[in-house]
């Protein structure tokens, strides 16, 4: 109900001036109403991407297509645009390719973004580039892409980048380096803390420290079904190692029954 009221408020405050329309569309996007933004932009400018439309209008439209789960439409729009959308346009193209599963194309677009000095979405592009490199089994390059995150200003984006960097080291059985990276990260949100505890538990398992692993797993609340599966399997492994096989079996049986 609250979300519906927010959407009504966004629609109700629409302005008919060009600048006002852009701000209305941006506000709709920032509030999670991508479809509202699409409607506002299409109503204001029926020739988006053609001569006469502005880069700002086109960039907002590309973002709105992506955020409304239409990556293929976003790709077609950006690639066919007669307006030069610059580095930001390549960023949304990269995001759309990534969402569409086009790893090489996304990697190329992210890399092109990063050649632009003072690019506004630089940190997001670095994370996106690292993820594409991982998808292409180029993990060492992914580590290099994320290495600078240690020096980023404190933010949820920095936390996400450091956790992904730590995960890369865990994947190659280097818990010591992963733990050093995680020590530099101070998660604040419950989601960040859940990811942090899981990674620290994985590091403890690799070092055969079952007690520490159980300490991190105890308060952990999985963020999604995939993470719930990973946490359950890890927890079961630790319990078995600690000589508590019946508890491990019960944990697995309860998880299977519940899911």
């Amino acid at each position: 109900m609250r979300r519906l009221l927010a959407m009504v408020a966004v629609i109700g405050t629409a302005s008919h001036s060009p600048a006002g329309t852009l701000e209305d569309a941006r506000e709709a996007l920032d509030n999670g109403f991508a479809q509202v933004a699409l409607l506002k932009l299409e109503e204001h400018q029926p020739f988006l991407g053609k001569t006469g439309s502005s880069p700002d209008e086109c960039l907002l439209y590309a973002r709105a297509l992506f955020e409304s789960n239409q990556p293929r439409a976003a790709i077609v729009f950006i690639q066919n645009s007669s307006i030069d959308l610059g580095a930001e346009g390549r960023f949304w193209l990269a995001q759309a390719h990534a969402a569409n599963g086009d790893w090489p194309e996304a990697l190329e677009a992210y890399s092109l973004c990063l050649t632009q000095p003072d690019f506004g979405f630089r940190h997001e592009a670095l994370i996106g580039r690292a993820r594409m490199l991982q998808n292409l089994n180029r993990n060492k390059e992914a580590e290099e892409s994320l290495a600078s995150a240690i020096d980023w200003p404190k933010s949820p984006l920095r936390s996400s980048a450091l956790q992904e960097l730590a995960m890369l080291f865990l994947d190659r059985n280097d818990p010591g380096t992963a733990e050093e990276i995680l020590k530099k990260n101070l998660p604040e949100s419950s989601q960040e803390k859940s990811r942090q505890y899981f990674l620290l538990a994985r590091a403890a398992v690799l070092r055969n420290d079952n007690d520490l692993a159980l300490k991190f797993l105890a308060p952990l609340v999985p963020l999604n079904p995939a993470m719930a599966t990973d946490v359950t399997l890890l927890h079961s492994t630790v319990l078995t190692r600690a000589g508590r096989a019946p508890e491990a079996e019960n944990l697995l049986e309860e998880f299977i029954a519940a899911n």
Side-chain angles (χ1 to χ4, degrees):
M1 182 64 177
R2 188 175 299 173
R3 183 175 172 83
L4 179 61
L5 289 172
M7 181 170 70
V8 171
V10 169
I11 295 172
T13 56
S15 167
H16 295 289
S17 70
T21 300
L22 286 178
E23 288 309 310
D24 291 338
R26 188 173 285 109
E27 182 181 356
L29 279 171
D30 291 342
N31 282 286
F33 303 119
Q35 290 290 351
V36 174
L38 287 174
L39 290 172
K40 287 180 177 294
L41 289 165
E42 290 168 356
E43 179 183 333
H44 167 69
Q45 174 55 271
F47 302 107
L48 286 159
K50 306 299 182 184
T51 302
S53 59
S54 73
D56 285 345
E57 291 170 333
C58 296
L59 287 169
L60 276 178
Y61 193 70
R63 176 188 164 190
L65 286 170
F66 168 72
E67 294 187 6
S68 62
N69 296 316
Q70 300 183 63
R72 174 51 57 186
I75 292 167
V76 171
F77 173 74
I78 295 168
Q79 290 181 334
N80 292 337
S81 175
S82 302
I83 309 298
D84 182 6
L85 302 182
E88 188 174 339
R90 287 189 287 275
F91 172 75
W92 291 115
L93 179 63
Q95 294 281 82
H97 273 307
N100 204 51
D102 310 324
W103 314 140
E105 292 83 355
L107 175 60
E108 181 182 7
Y110 281 126
S111 299
L112 284 172
C113 291
L114 293 167
T115 62
Q116 182 70 33
D118 302 321
F119 175 55
F121 292 102
R122 185 171 187 81
H123 293 167
E124 290 89 343
L126 282 166
I127 292 173
R129 183 174 185 274
R131 289 173 180 167
M132 296 309 102
L133 287 166
Q134 290 178 71
N135 290 337
L136 294 168
N137 297 314
R138 295 162 61 180
N139 287 2
K140 185 62 178 175
E141 292 173 76
E143 291 172 18
E144 294 168 357
S145 185
L146 293 172
S148 64
I150 291 172
D151 299 319
W152 295 359
K154 185 178 178 180
S155 69
L157 201 61
R158 176 182 184 269
S159 181
S160 177
L162 289 180
Q163 288 173 345
E164 292 204 25
L165 182 59
M167 185 173 62
L168 285 165
F169 282 98
L170 290 173
D171 288 345
R172 61 182 177 101
N173 296 317
D174 187 351
T177 302
E179 287 172 325
E180 287 300 314
I181 292 167
L182 292 172
K183 283 179 184 177
K184 296 178 171 65
N185 185 42
L186 298 174
E188 294 183 347
S189 71
S190 58
Q191 292 90 343
E192 291 170 3
K193 289 177 182 177
S194 290
R195 286 191 292 265
Q196 186 95 344
Y197 289 148
F198 178 64
L199 294 171
L200 288 168
R202 278 190 61 191
V205 168
L206 288 174
R207 291 192 295 97
N208 294 311
D209 191 335
N210 297 322
D211 291 339
L212 184 60
L214 289 171
K215 177 183 175 182
F216 286 123
L217 288 168
L220 203 160
V221 179
L223 302 177
N224 50 54
M227 187 178 185
T229 301
D230 291 341
V231 168
T232 301
L233 292 173
L234 188 65
H235 201 167
S236 174
T237 298
V238 177
L239 288 171
T240 302
R241 283 186 181 182
R244 297 160 60 181
E247 290 179 63
E249 291 175 10
N250 288 338
L251 182 68
L252 288 173
E253 288 173 0
E254 290 174 4
F255 181 78
I256 292 169
N259 294 275

